[in-house]
Amino acid sequence: MERRAWKKPAGFLGPLLLLLSVPLQALAADPLPSWNDGPVKQSIIGFVTRATTEGGPGFIPPEERIATFDNDGTLWQEQPVVQGAFLLEQVKARVKEDASLAKQQPFKAVLEGDLALLSTMEEPELMALAGATHQGKTQEEFAREARAFFQSARHPKLGVPYTQLVYAPMLELLQYLRAHGFQTWISSGGGMDFMRVVSEDLYGVPPQQVIGSSLKEKFDDAGGHPVLRREARLDHVNDKAGKPVGIEQHIGRRPVFAAGNVRSGGDIQMLQYTQEQPRAGFTLLIHHDDAEREFAYEEKNDASLKAAREGGWTVVSMRQDWKRIFPGGR
C-alpha cells in the first residue's frame, strides 16, 4: 500500500506547536477542527457543554472533572508499540556489551523476532523485558536513554520520528477539555517512566499526571548523592483490570471522561469504571479502521467493540470521524 508523504513538523515539539499555532478565533468557532461534523463530535461537545453549565442537570464541579486517556493507539500510533521499538534498541545495546546474552531469553527471542515479536507482547512481557535491560540503572540514566531514542528513532514504515505520530484530533480534544476545567491524565499500559519523558512536550500532560506500568525501585544514597535505581521486578501493570487500580492510587477520584482504543481489550475496565458511577461518565473508544492514512486492525475476540455496544460507548471511526490523523496534515 502506498502512503502519501506529508510535511514534517520541525523540532521535538512539532505536534503540540502545530496545534497551538491555530488561531484562537478558529478554535473558538470550532474547538475540534480535525474532527468531521457528526454524532461523535457532537456527543463530545454536548458532554462538555453539559458538564460546564452551572445549574444544569449534567454539571460537574471543576474538582471532579478528571479525564483519563490511554496512550498507545489512543494518543499516538501503536504499530509498532513505541516502547517496544525502544526496548529493541536496548536489547541490541546489551548484547553488544555481552554477546552471550544473544543465546538467552528473552534477548534471543526479541532479536530473532525484532519489532514483529515486540508488537505481539502484552504489557507484563514488555515490562519484564524493561527490567532485564534496565536493572540497576538510575531514573536519570533511563530518562537520558529514552530522550536519545526519541531524538533519533524513526517509524519503520512511515519514516518520521515517533514524536510526530501523535493524533491531531486527540491533541485538540486534550486542549478542549483543559480549556473547560478538566484535568487530563494519561493512564496507559506502557511504562510510566518512558511516557513521562515526552508527555508534557507532546500532549501538555505533566509527568505527575502520567499513570503507567512500573518496575520496583530502591533508594541508593550513592555516597551522599541519592538516586533511585530500577529493579528487575514488576511493581504495577497498568493494563486491563490494573488501570482502575492505578487511577485510584494516583488520582483518588473516578474519571468522568475516559478514552481508549481497540487492540487488546486493555482499556475495557477503565471505560467501564468511568461509566458506572452516580453520574454517567463519557467513554470514548478509538477504532483503527483507516488503512490508507494510518493502520487498520481488529481484536480477534472483538471484546472492546462488544463492550462498547453493551455499554453505549462513543466509538470513533478514524476513517469517518477524523479529517486528518497527524498534525502534519494527512
mmCIF file with all atom_site columns, all heavy atoms in Angstrom, residues 240 261-269 271-272 285 298-311 313:
data_model
loop_
_atom_site.group_PDB
_atom_site.id
_atom_site.type_symbol
_atom_site.label_atom_id
_atom_site.label_alt_id
_atom_site.label_comp_id
_atom_site.label_asym_id
_atom_site.label_entity_id
_atom_site.label_seq_id
_atom_site.pdbx_PDB_ins_code
_atom_site.Cartn_x
_atom_site.Cartn_y
_atom_site.Cartn_z
_atom_site.occupancy
_atom_site.B_iso_or_equiv
_atom_site.pdbx_formal_charge
_atom_site.auth_seq_id
_atom_site.auth_comp_id
_atom_site.auth_asym_id
_atom_site.auth_atom_id
_atom_site.pdbx_PDB_model_num
ATOM 1   N N   . LYS A 1 240 ? -5.635  -3.392  31.544 1.00 0.00 ? 240 LYS A N   1
ATOM 2   C CA  . LYS A 1 240 ? -6.862  -4.137  31.822 1.00 0.00 ? 240 LYS A CA  1
ATOM 3   C C   . LYS A 1 240 ? -7.356  -3.815  33.234 1.00 0.00 ? 240 LYS A C   1
ATOM 4   O O   . LYS A 1 240 ? -7.571  -2.649  33.555 1.00 0.00 ? 240 LYS A O   1
ATOM 5   C CB  . LYS A 1 240 ? -6.639  -5.627  31.565 1.00 0.00 ? 240 LYS A CB  1
ATOM 6   C CG  . LYS A 1 240 ? -6.268  -5.890  30.105 1.00 0.00 ? 240 LYS A CG  1
ATOM 7   C CD  . LYS A 1 240 ? -6.050  -7.355  29.790 1.00 0.00 ? 240 LYS A CD  1
ATOM 8   C CE  . LYS A 1 240 ? -5.698  -7.526  28.311 1.00 0.00 ? 240 LYS A CE  1
ATOM 9   N NZ  . LYS A 1 240 ? -5.402  -8.912  27.953 1.00 0.00 ? 240 LYS A NZ  1
ATOM 10  N N   . ASN A 1 261 ? -8.732  2.525   23.172 1.00 0.00 ? 261 ASN A N   1
ATOM 11  C CA  . ASN A 1 261 ? -8.771  2.114   21.768 1.00 0.00 ? 261 ASN A CA  1
ATOM 12  C C   . ASN A 1 261 ? -8.898  0.606   21.623 1.00 0.00 ? 261 ASN A C   1
ATOM 13  O O   . ASN A 1 261 ? -8.694  -0.154  22.578 1.00 0.00 ? 261 ASN A O   1
ATOM 14  C CB  . ASN A 1 261 ? -7.531  2.607   21.017 1.00 0.00 ? 261 ASN A CB  1
ATOM 15  C CG  . ASN A 1 261 ? -6.276  1.841   21.374 1.00 0.00 ? 261 ASN A CG  1
ATOM 16  O OD1 . ASN A 1 261 ? -5.740  1.987   22.474 1.00 0.00 ? 261 ASN A OD1 1
ATOM 17  N ND2 . ASN A 1 261 ? -5.787  1.021   20.452 1.00 0.00 ? 261 ASN A ND2 1
ATOM 18  N N   . VAL A 1 262 ? -9.242  0.220   20.410 1.00 0.00 ? 262 VAL A N   1
ATOM 19  C CA  . VAL A 1 262 ? -9.378  -1.194  20.065 1.00 0.00 ? 262 VAL A CA  1
ATOM 20  C C   . VAL A 1 262 ? -8.001  -1.751  19.736 1.00 0.00 ? 262 VAL A C   1
ATOM 21  O O   . VAL A 1 262 ? -7.317  -1.247  18.855 1.00 0.00 ? 262 VAL A O   1
ATOM 22  C CB  . VAL A 1 262 ? -10.317 -1.373  18.848 1.00 0.00 ? 262 VAL A CB  1
ATOM 23  C CG1 . VAL A 1 262 ? -10.328 -2.825  18.389 1.00 0.00 ? 262 VAL A CG1 1
ATOM 24  C CG2 . VAL A 1 262 ? -11.721 -0.897  19.174 1.00 0.00 ? 262 VAL A CG2 1
ATOM 25  N N   . ARG A 1 263 ? -7.579  -2.774  20.441 1.00 0.00 ? 263 ARG A N   1
ATOM 26  C CA  . ARG A 1 263 ? -6.368  -3.530  20.102 1.00 0.00 ? 263 ARG A CA  1
ATOM 27  C C   . ARG A 1 263 ? -6.301  -4.832  20.873 1.00 0.00 ? 263 ARG A C   1
ATOM 28  O O   . ARG A 1 263 ? -6.287  -5.899  20.307 1.00 0.00 ? 263 ARG A O   1
ATOM 29  C CB  . ARG A 1 263 ? -5.090  -2.728  20.352 1.00 0.00 ? 263 ARG A CB  1
ATOM 30  C CG  . ARG A 1 263 ? -3.805  -3.536  20.059 1.00 0.00 ? 263 ARG A CG  1
ATOM 31  C CD  . ARG A 1 263 ? -2.540  -2.721  20.218 1.00 0.00 ? 263 ARG A CD  1
ATOM 32  N NE  . ARG A 1 263 ? -1.352  -3.542  20.041 1.00 0.00 ? 263 ARG A NE  1
ATOM 33  C CZ  . ARG A 1 263 ? -0.590  -3.968  21.022 1.00 0.00 ? 263 ARG A CZ  1
ATOM 34  N NH1 . ARG A 1 263 ? -0.894  -3.672  22.288 1.00 0.00 ? 263 ARG A NH1 1
ATOM 35  N NH2 . ARG A 1 263 ? 0.475   -4.705  20.787 1.00 0.00 ? 263 ARG A NH2 1
ATOM 36  N N   . SER A 1 264 ? -6.255  -4.739  22.212 1.00 0.00 ? 264 SER A N   1
ATOM 37  C CA  . SER A 1 264 ? -6.069  -5.938  23.028 1.00 0.00 ? 264 SER A CA  1
ATOM 38  C C   . SER A 1 264 ? -7.105  -6.071  24.131 1.00 0.00 ? 264 SER A C   1
ATOM 39  O O   . SER A 1 264 ? -7.011  -6.978  24.949 1.00 0.00 ? 264 SER A O   1
ATOM 40  C CB  . SER A 1 264 ? -4.669  -5.914  23.661 1.00 0.00 ? 264 SER A CB  1
ATOM 41  O OG  . SER A 1 264 ? -4.561  -4.808  24.548 1.00 0.00 ? 264 SER A OG  1
ATOM 42  N N   . GLY A 1 265 ? -8.079  -5.185  24.161 1.00 0.00 ? 265 GLY A N   1
ATOM 43  C CA  . GLY A 1 265 ? -9.039  -5.192  25.267 1.00 0.00 ? 265 GLY A CA  1
ATOM 44  C C   . GLY A 1 265 ? -8.487  -4.549  26.522 1.00 0.00 ? 265 GLY A C   1
ATOM 45  O O   . GLY A 1 265 ? -9.110  -4.629  27.581 1.00 0.00 ? 265 GLY A O   1
ATOM 46  N N   . GLY A 1 266 ? -7.332  -3.886  26.411 1.00 0.00 ? 266 GLY A N   1
ATOM 47  C CA  . GLY A 1 266 ? -6.669  -3.355  27.590 1.00 0.00 ? 266 GLY A CA  1
ATOM 48  C C   . GLY A 1 266 ? -7.346  -2.166  28.236 1.00 0.00 ? 266 GLY A C   1
ATOM 49  O O   . GLY A 1 266 ? -7.020  -1.813  29.373 1.00 0.00 ? 266 GLY A O   1
ATOM 50  N N   . ASP A 1 267 ? -8.290  -1.525  27.529 1.00 0.00 ? 267 ASP A N   1
ATOM 51  C CA  . ASP A 1 267 ? -8.930  -0.327  28.076 1.00 0.00 ? 267 ASP A CA  1
ATOM 52  C C   . ASP A 1 267 ? -10.355 -0.569  28.549 1.00 0.00 ? 267 ASP A C   1
ATOM 53  O O   . ASP A 1 267 ? -11.004 0.353   29.044 1.00 0.00 ? 267 ASP A O   1
ATOM 54  C CB  . ASP A 1 267 ? -8.946  0.780   27.017 1.00 0.00 ? 267 ASP A CB  1
ATOM 55  C CG  . ASP A 1 267 ? -7.548  1.208   26.624 1.00 0.00 ? 267 ASP A CG  1
ATOM 56  O OD1 . ASP A 1 267 ? -6.695  1.338   27.513 1.00 0.00 ? 267 ASP A OD1 1
ATOM 57  O OD2 . ASP A 1 267 ? -7.300  1.391   25.418 1.00 0.00 ? 267 ASP A OD2 1
ATOM 58  N N   . ILE A 1 268 ? -10.853 -1.771  28.408 1.00 0.00 ? 268 ILE A N   1
ATOM 59  C CA  . ILE A 1 268 ? -12.262 -2.050  28.725 1.00 0.00 ? 268 ILE A CA  1
ATOM 60  C C   . ILE A 1 268 ? -12.582 -1.692  30.162 1.00 0.00 ? 268 ILE A C   1
ATOM 61  O O   . ILE A 1 268 ? -13.567 -0.996  30.452 1.00 0.00 ? 268 ILE A O   1
ATOM 62  C CB  . ILE A 1 268 ? -12.597 -3.524  28.435 1.00 0.00 ? 268 ILE A CB  1
ATOM 63  C CG1 . ILE A 1 268 ? -12.532 -3.787  26.928 1.00 0.00 ? 268 ILE A CG1 1
ATOM 64  C CG2 . ILE A 1 268 ? -13.978 -3.876  28.991 1.00 0.00 ? 268 ILE A CG2 1
ATOM 65  C CD1 . ILE A 1 268 ? -12.711 -5.249  26.557 1.00 0.00 ? 268 ILE A CD1 1
ATOM 66  N N   . GLN A 1 269 ? -11.771 -2.171  31.101 1.00 0.00 ? 269 GLN A N   1
ATOM 67  C CA  . GLN A 1 269 ? -12.090 -1.947  32.515 1.00 0.00 ? 269 GLN A CA  1
ATOM 68  C C   . GLN A 1 269 ? -12.025 -0.477  32.890 1.00 0.00 ? 269 GLN A C   1
ATOM 69  O O   . GLN A 1 269 ? -12.819 -0.007  33.708 1.00 0.00 ? 269 GLN A O   1
ATOM 70  C CB  . GLN A 1 269 ? -11.148 -2.773  33.400 1.00 0.00 ? 269 GLN A CB  1
ATOM 71  C CG  . GLN A 1 269 ? -11.430 -4.267  33.378 1.00 0.00 ? 269 GLN A CG  1
ATOM 72  C CD  . GLN A 1 269 ? -10.725 -4.994  32.241 1.00 0.00 ? 269 GLN A CD  1
ATOM 73  O OE1 . GLN A 1 269 ? -10.217 -4.375  31.298 1.00 0.00 ? 269 GLN A OE1 1
ATOM 74  N NE2 . GLN A 1 269 ? -10.684 -6.312  32.327 1.00 0.00 ? 269 GLN A NE2 1
ATOM 75  N N   . LEU A 1 271 ? -12.795 2.041   30.944 1.00 0.00 ? 271 LEU A N   1
ATOM 76  C CA  . LEU A 1 271 ? -14.005 2.663   30.423 1.00 0.00 ? 271 LEU A CA  1
ATOM 77  C C   . LEU A 1 271 ? -15.227 2.242   31.234 1.00 0.00 ? 271 LEU A C   1
ATOM 78  O O   . LEU A 1 271 ? -16.117 3.058   31.507 1.00 0.00 ? 271 LEU A O   1
ATOM 79  C CB  . LEU A 1 271 ? -14.166 2.301   28.947 1.00 0.00 ? 271 LEU A CB  1
ATOM 80  C CG  . LEU A 1 271 ? -13.053 2.819   28.023 1.00 0.00 ? 271 LEU A CG  1
ATOM 81  C CD1 . LEU A 1 271 ? -13.270 2.347   26.597 1.00 0.00 ? 271 LEU A CD1 1
ATOM 82  C CD2 . LEU A 1 271 ? -12.953 4.327   28.059 1.00 0.00 ? 271 LEU A CD2 1
ATOM 83  N N   . GLN A 1 272 ? -15.279 0.985   31.622 1.00 0.00 ? 272 GLN A N   1
ATOM 84  C CA  . GLN A 1 272 ? -16.380 0.544   32.474 1.00 0.00 ? 272 GLN A CA  1
ATOM 85  C C   . GLN A 1 272 ? -16.370 1.266   33.816 1.00 0.00 ? 272 GLN A C   1
ATOM 86  O O   . GLN A 1 272 ? -17.417 1.677   34.329 1.00 0.00 ? 272 GLN A O   1
ATOM 87  C CB  . GLN A 1 272 ? -16.297 -0.972  32.698 1.00 0.00 ? 272 GLN A CB  1
ATOM 88  C CG  . GLN A 1 272 ? -16.571 -1.800  31.452 1.00 0.00 ? 272 GLN A CG  1
ATOM 89  C CD  . GLN A 1 272 ? -16.304 -3.279  31.667 1.00 0.00 ? 272 GLN A CD  1
ATOM 90  O OE1 . GLN A 1 272 ? -15.479 -3.659  32.516 1.00 0.00 ? 272 GLN A OE1 1
ATOM 91  N NE2 . GLN A 1 272 ? -16.987 -4.116  30.896 1.00 0.00 ? 272 GLN A NE2 1
ATOM 92  N N   . LEU A 1 285 ? -14.035 5.302   22.538 1.00 0.00 ? 285 LEU A N   1
ATOM 93  C CA  . LEU A 1 285 ? -13.229 4.174   22.072 1.00 0.00 ? 285 LEU A CA  1
ATOM 94  C C   . LEU A 1 285 ? -12.785 4.442   20.640 1.00 0.00 ? 285 LEU A C   1
ATOM 95  O O   . LEU A 1 285 ? -13.613 4.642   19.745 1.00 0.00 ? 285 LEU A O   1
ATOM 96  C CB  . LEU A 1 285 ? -14.040 2.872   22.130 1.00 0.00 ? 285 LEU A CB  1
ATOM 97  C CG  . LEU A 1 285 ? -13.272 1.600   21.765 1.00 0.00 ? 285 LEU A CG  1
ATOM 98  C CD1 . LEU A 1 285 ? -12.288 1.227   22.876 1.00 0.00 ? 285 LEU A CD1 1
ATOM 99  C CD2 . LEU A 1 285 ? -14.239 0.434   21.524 1.00 0.00 ? 285 LEU A CD2 1
ATOM 100 N N   . GLU A 1 298 ? -8.083  -5.196  14.065 1.00 0.00 ? 298 GLU A N   1
ATOM 101 C CA  . GLU A 1 298 ? -9.197  -5.565  14.936 1.00 0.00 ? 298 GLU A CA  1
ATOM 102 C C   . GLU A 1 298 ? -8.690  -6.473  16.050 1.00 0.00 ? 298 GLU A C   1
ATOM 103 O O   . GLU A 1 298 ? -7.549  -6.933  16.029 1.00 0.00 ? 298 GLU A O   1
ATOM 104 C CB  . GLU A 1 298 ? -10.278 -6.318  14.139 1.00 0.00 ? 298 GLU A CB  1
ATOM 105 C CG  . GLU A 1 298 ? -10.779 -5.595  12.901 1.00 0.00 ? 298 GLU A CG  1
ATOM 106 C CD  . GLU A 1 298 ? -11.743 -4.477  13.218 1.00 0.00 ? 298 GLU A CD  1
ATOM 107 O OE1 . GLU A 1 298 ? -12.184 -4.389  14.382 1.00 0.00 ? 298 GLU A OE1 1
ATOM 108 O OE2 . GLU A 1 298 ? -12.052 -3.685  12.302 1.00 0.00 ? 298 GLU A OE2 1
ATOM 109 N N   . GLU A 1 299 ? -9.556  -6.731  17.015 1.00 0.00 ? 299 GLU A N   1
ATOM 110 C CA  . GLU A 1 299 ? -9.268  -7.729  18.039 1.00 0.00 ? 299 GLU A CA  1
ATOM 111 C C   . GLU A 1 299 ? -9.860  -9.069  17.606 1.00 0.00 ? 299 GLU A C   1
ATOM 112 O O   . GLU A 1 299 ? -10.948 -9.111  17.023 1.00 0.00 ? 299 GLU A O   1
ATOM 113 C CB  . GLU A 1 299 ? -9.882  -7.313  19.376 1.00 0.00 ? 299 GLU A CB  1
ATOM 114 C CG  . GLU A 1 299 ? -9.242  -6.074  19.976 1.00 0.00 ? 299 GLU A CG  1
ATOM 115 C CD  . GLU A 1 299 ? -10.015 -5.545  21.178 1.00 0.00 ? 299 GLU A CD  1
ATOM 116 O OE1 . GLU A 1 299 ? -11.072 -6.118  21.520 1.00 0.00 ? 299 GLU A OE1 1
ATOM 117 O OE2 . GLU A 1 299 ? -9.557  -4.558  21.759 1.00 0.00 ? 299 GLU A OE2 1
ATOM 118 N N   . LYS A 1 300 ? -9.171  -10.144 17.903 1.00 0.00 ? 300 LYS A N   1
ATOM 119 C CA  . LYS A 1 300 ? -9.658  -11.458 17.496 1.00 0.00 ? 300 LYS A CA  1
ATOM 120 C C   . LYS A 1 300 ? -11.023 -11.775 18.093 1.00 0.00 ? 300 LYS A C   1
ATOM 121 O O   . LYS A 1 300 ? -11.881 -12.368 17.439 1.00 0.00 ? 300 LYS A O   1
ATOM 122 C CB  . LYS A 1 300 ? -8.642  -12.529 17.887 1.00 0.00 ? 300 LYS A CB  1
ATOM 123 C CG  . LYS A 1 300 ? -7.340  -12.479 17.089 1.00 0.00 ? 300 LYS A CG  1
ATOM 124 C CD  . LYS A 1 300 ? -6.397  -13.590 17.498 1.00 0.00 ? 300 LYS A CD  1
ATOM 125 C CE  . LYS A 1 300 ? -5.110  -13.543 16.689 1.00 0.00 ? 300 LYS A CE  1
ATOM 126 N NZ  . LYS A 1 300 ? -4.166  -14.616 17.080 1.00 0.00 ? 300 LYS A NZ  1
ATOM 127 N N   . ASN A 1 301 ? -11.224 -11.369 19.350 1.00 0.00 ? 301 ASN A N   1
ATOM 128 C CA  . ASN A 1 301 ? -12.494 -11.689 20.014 1.00 0.00 ? 301 ASN A CA  1
ATOM 129 C C   . ASN A 1 301 ? -13.486 -10.522 20.009 1.00 0.00 ? 301 ASN A C   1
ATOM 130 O O   . ASN A 1 301 ? -14.567 -10.627 20.582 1.00 0.00 ? 301 ASN A O   1
ATOM 131 C CB  . ASN A 1 301 ? -12.239 -12.134 21.451 1.00 0.00 ? 301 ASN A CB  1
ATOM 132 C CG  . ASN A 1 301 ? -11.527 -11.074 22.281 1.00 0.00 ? 301 ASN A CG  1
ATOM 133 O OD1 . ASN A 1 301 ? -11.251 -9.972  21.794 1.00 0.00 ? 301 ASN A OD1 1
ATOM 134 N ND2 . ASN A 1 301 ? -11.227 -11.403 23.522 1.00 0.00 ? 301 ASN A ND2 1
ATOM 135 N N   . ASP A 1 302 ? -13.094 -9.400  19.379 1.00 0.00 ? 302 ASP A N   1
ATOM 136 C CA  . ASP A 1 302 ? -13.987 -8.241  19.263 1.00 0.00 ? 302 ASP A CA  1
ATOM 137 C C   . ASP A 1 302 ? -14.444 -7.724  20.626 1.00 0.00 ? 302 ASP A C   1
ATOM 138 O O   . ASP A 1 302 ? -15.517 -7.137  20.752 1.00 0.00 ? 302 ASP A O   1
ATOM 139 C CB  . ASP A 1 302 ? -15.203 -8.617  18.412 1.00 0.00 ? 302 ASP A CB  1
ATOM 140 C CG  . ASP A 1 302 ? -15.904 -7.404  17.807 1.00 0.00 ? 302 ASP A CG  1
ATOM 141 O OD1 . ASP A 1 302 ? -15.207 -6.418  17.519 1.00 0.00 ? 302 ASP A OD1 1
ATOM 142 O OD2 . ASP A 1 302 ? -17.134 -7.450  17.651 1.00 0.00 ? 302 ASP A OD2 1
ATOM 143 N N   . ALA A 1 303 ? -13.606 -7.931  21.664 1.00 0.00 ? 303 ALA A N   1
ATOM 144 C CA  . ALA A 1 303 ? -14.049 -7.646  23.025 1.00 0.00 ? 303 ALA A CA  1
ATOM 145 C C   . ALA A 1 303 ? -14.342 -6.168  23.256 1.00 0.00 ? 303 ALA A C   1
ATOM 146 O O   . ALA A 1 303 ? -15.343 -5.818  23.899 1.00 0.00 ? 303 ALA A O   1
ATOM 147 C CB  . ALA A 1 303 ? -12.992 -8.133  24.026 1.00 0.00 ? 303 ALA A CB  1
ATOM 148 N N   . SER A 1 304 ? -13.481 -5.285  22.753 1.00 0.00 ? 304 SER A N   1
ATOM 149 C CA  . SER A 1 304 ? -13.677 -3.853  23.030 1.00 0.00 ? 304 SER A CA  1
ATOM 150 C C   . SER A 1 304 ? -14.926 -3.315  22.347 1.00 0.00 ? 304 SER A C   1
ATOM 151 O O   . SER A 1 304 ? -15.710 -2.578  22.951 1.00 0.00 ? 304 SER A O   1
ATOM 152 C CB  . SER A 1 304 ? -12.446 -3.060  22.585 1.00 0.00 ? 304 SER A CB  1
ATOM 153 O OG  . SER A 1 304 ? -11.322 -3.398  23.364 1.00 0.00 ? 304 SER A OG  1
ATOM 154 N N   . LEU A 1 305 ? -15.121 -3.669  21.080 1.00 0.00 ? 305 LEU A N   1
ATOM 155 C CA  . LEU A 1 305 ? -16.305 -3.193  20.365 1.00 0.00 ? 305 LEU A CA  1
ATOM 156 C C   . LEU A 1 305 ? -17.580 -3.805  20.940 1.00 0.00 ? 305 LEU A C   1
ATOM 157 O O   . LEU A 1 305 ? -18.624 -3.143  20.995 1.00 0.00 ? 305 LEU A O   1
ATOM 158 C CB  . LEU A 1 305 ? -16.186 -3.490  18.879 1.00 0.00 ? 305 LEU A CB  1
ATOM 159 C CG  . LEU A 1 305 ? -15.141 -2.652  18.127 1.00 0.00 ? 305 LEU A CG  1
ATOM 160 C CD1 . LEU A 1 305 ? -14.985 -3.149  16.691 1.00 0.00 ? 305 LEU A CD1 1
ATOM 161 C CD2 . LEU A 1 305 ? -15.534 -1.174  18.141 1.00 0.00 ? 305 LEU A CD2 1
ATOM 162 N N   . LYS A 1 306 ? -17.493 -5.032  21.390 1.00 0.00 ? 306 LYS A N   1
ATOM 163 C CA  . LYS A 1 306 ? -18.655 -5.660  22.032 1.00 0.00 ? 306 LYS A CA  1
ATOM 164 C C   . LYS A 1 306 ? -18.991 -4.925  23.326 1.00 0.00 ? 306 LYS A C   1
ATOM 165 O O   . LYS A 1 306 ? -20.167 -4.630  23.602 1.00 0.00 ? 306 LYS A O   1
ATOM 166 C CB  . LYS A 1 306 ? -18.368 -7.131  22.331 1.00 0.00 ? 306 LYS A CB  1
ATOM 167 C CG  . LYS A 1 306 ? -19.525 -7.854  22.999 1.00 0.00 ? 306 LYS A CG  1
ATOM 168 C CD  . LYS A 1 306 ? -19.182 -9.312  23.280 1.00 0.00 ? 306 LYS A CD  1
ATOM 169 C CE  . LYS A 1 306 ? -20.331 -10.019 23.995 1.00 0.00 ? 306 LYS A CE  1
ATOM 170 N NZ  . LYS A 1 306 ? -20.001 -11.428 24.311 1.00 0.00 ? 306 LYS A NZ  1
ATOM 171 N N   . ALA A 1 307 ? -17.961 -4.609  24.127 1.00 0.00 ? 307 ALA A N   1
ATOM 172 C CA  . ALA A 1 307 ? -18.196 -3.869  25.365 1.00 0.00 ? 307 ALA A CA  1
ATOM 173 C C   . ALA A 1 307 ? -18.761 -2.488  25.065 1.00 0.00 ? 307 ALA A C   1
ATOM 174 O O   . ALA A 1 307 ? -19.606 -1.970  25.806 1.00 0.00 ? 307 ALA A O   1
ATOM 175 C CB  . ALA A 1 307 ? -16.899 -3.745  26.163 1.00 0.00 ? 307 ALA A CB  1
ATOM 176 N N   . ALA A 1 308 ? -18.314 -1.879  23.963 1.00 0.00 ? 308 ALA A N   1
ATOM 177 C CA  . ALA A 1 308 ? -18.826 -0.561  23.577 1.00 0.00 ? 308 ALA A CA  1
ATOM 178 C C   . ALA A 1 308 ? -20.304 -0.632  23.226 1.00 0.00 ? 308 ALA A C   1
ATOM 179 O O   . ALA A 1 308 ? -21.092 0.252   23.601 1.00 0.00 ? 308 ALA A O   1
ATOM 180 C CB  . ALA A 1 308 ? -18.022 -0.022  22.404 1.00 0.00 ? 308 ALA A CB  1
ATOM 181 N N   . ARG A 1 309 ? -20.693 -1.680  22.492 1.00 0.00 ? 309 ARG A N   1
ATOM 182 C CA  . ARG A 1 309 ? -22.111 -1.828  22.135 1.00 0.00 ? 309 ARG A CA  1
ATOM 183 C C   . ARG A 1 309 ? -22.964 -2.039  23.382 1.00 0.00 ? 309 ARG A C   1
ATOM 184 O O   . ARG A 1 309 ? -24.039 -1.447  23.523 1.00 0.00 ? 309 ARG A O   1
ATOM 185 C CB  . ARG A 1 309 ? -22.282 -3.004  21.161 1.00 0.00 ? 309 ARG A CB  1
ATOM 186 C CG  . ARG A 1 309 ? -21.718 -2.733  19.768 1.00 0.00 ? 309 ARG A CG  1
ATOM 187 C CD  . ARG A 1 309 ? -22.137 -3.814  18.798 1.00 0.00 ? 309 ARG A CD  1
ATOM 188 N NE  . ARG A 1 309 ? -21.553 -5.111  19.122 1.00 0.00 ? 309 ARG A NE  1
ATOM 189 C CZ  . ARG A 1 309 ? -20.387 -5.560  18.629 1.00 0.00 ? 309 ARG A CZ  1
ATOM 190 N NH1 . ARG A 1 309 ? -19.682 -4.785  17.813 1.00 0.00 ? 309 ARG A NH1 1
ATOM 191 N NH2 . ARG A 1 309 ? -19.937 -6.753  18.957 1.00 0.00 ? 309 ARG A NH2 1
ATOM 192 N N   . GLU A 1 310 ? -22.472 -2.872  24.290 1.00 0.00 ? 310 GLU A N   1
ATOM 193 C CA  . GLU A 1 310 ? -23.234 -3.164  25.503 1.00 0.00 ? 310 GLU A CA  1
ATOM 194 C C   . GLU A 1 310 ? -23.322 -1.950  26.423 1.00 0.00 ? 310 GLU A C   1
ATOM 195 O O   . GLU A 1 310 ? -24.342 -1.731  27.087 1.00 0.00 ? 310 GLU A O   1
ATOM 196 C CB  . GLU A 1 310 ? -22.591 -4.340  26.244 1.00 0.00 ? 310 GLU A CB  1
ATOM 197 C CG  . GLU A 1 310 ? -22.681 -5.660  25.480 1.00 0.00 ? 310 GLU A CG  1
ATOM 198 C CD  . GLU A 1 310 ? -21.917 -6.782  26.168 1.00 0.00 ? 310 GLU A CD  1
ATOM 199 O OE1 . GLU A 1 310 ? -21.145 -6.475  27.117 1.00 0.00 ? 310 GLU A OE1 1
ATOM 200 O OE2 . GLU A 1 310 ? -22.078 -7.952  25.756 1.00 0.00 ? 310 GLU A OE2 1
ATOM 201 N N   . GLY A 1 311 ? -22.242 -1.156  26.449 1.00 0.00 ? 311 GLY A N   1
ATOM 202 C CA  . GLY A 1 311 ? -22.205 -0.022  27.363 1.00 0.00 ? 311 GLY A CA  1
ATOM 203 C C   . GLY A 1 311 ? -22.673 1.284   26.763 1.00 0.00 ? 311 GLY A C   1
ATOM 204 O O   . GLY A 1 311 ? -22.785 2.280   27.480 1.00 0.00 ? 311 GLY A O   1
ATOM 205 N N   . TRP A 1 313 ? -20.975 3.078   24.591 1.00 0.00 ? 313 TRP A N   1
ATOM 206 C CA  . TRP A 1 313 ? -19.848 3.992   24.489 1.00 0.00 ? 313 TRP A CA  1
ATOM 207 C C   . TRP A 1 313 ? -19.834 4.683   23.132 1.00 0.00 ? 313 TRP A C   1
ATOM 208 O O   . TRP A 1 313 ? -20.406 4.186   22.152 1.00 0.00 ? 313 TRP A O   1
ATOM 209 C CB  . TRP A 1 313 ? -18.526 3.234   24.664 1.00 0.00 ? 313 TRP A CB  1
ATOM 210 C CG  . TRP A 1 313 ? -18.401 2.466   25.935 1.00 0.00 ? 313 TRP A CG  1
ATOM 211 C CD1 . TRP A 1 313 ? -19.191 2.575   27.050 1.00 0.00 ? 313 TRP A CD1 1
ATOM 212 C CD2 . TRP A 1 313 ? -17.441 1.446   26.240 1.00 0.00 ? 313 TRP A CD2 1
ATOM 213 N NE1 . TRP A 1 313 ? -18.779 1.694   28.017 1.00 0.00 ? 313 TRP A NE1 1
ATOM 214 C CE2 . TRP A 1 313 ? -17.703 0.986   27.550 1.00 0.00 ? 313 TRP A CE2 1
ATOM 215 C CE3 . TRP A 1 313 ? -16.388 0.889   25.529 1.00 0.00 ? 313 TRP A CE3 1
ATOM 216 C CZ2 . TRP A 1 313 ? -16.941 -0.003  28.154 1.00 0.00 ? 313 TRP A CZ2 1
ATOM 217 C CZ3 . TRP A 1 313 ? -15.617 -0.098  26.124 1.00 0.00 ? 313 TRP A CZ3 1
ATOM 218 C CH2 . TRP A 1 313 ? -15.893 -0.544  27.431 1.00 0.00 ? 313 TRP A CH2 1
#
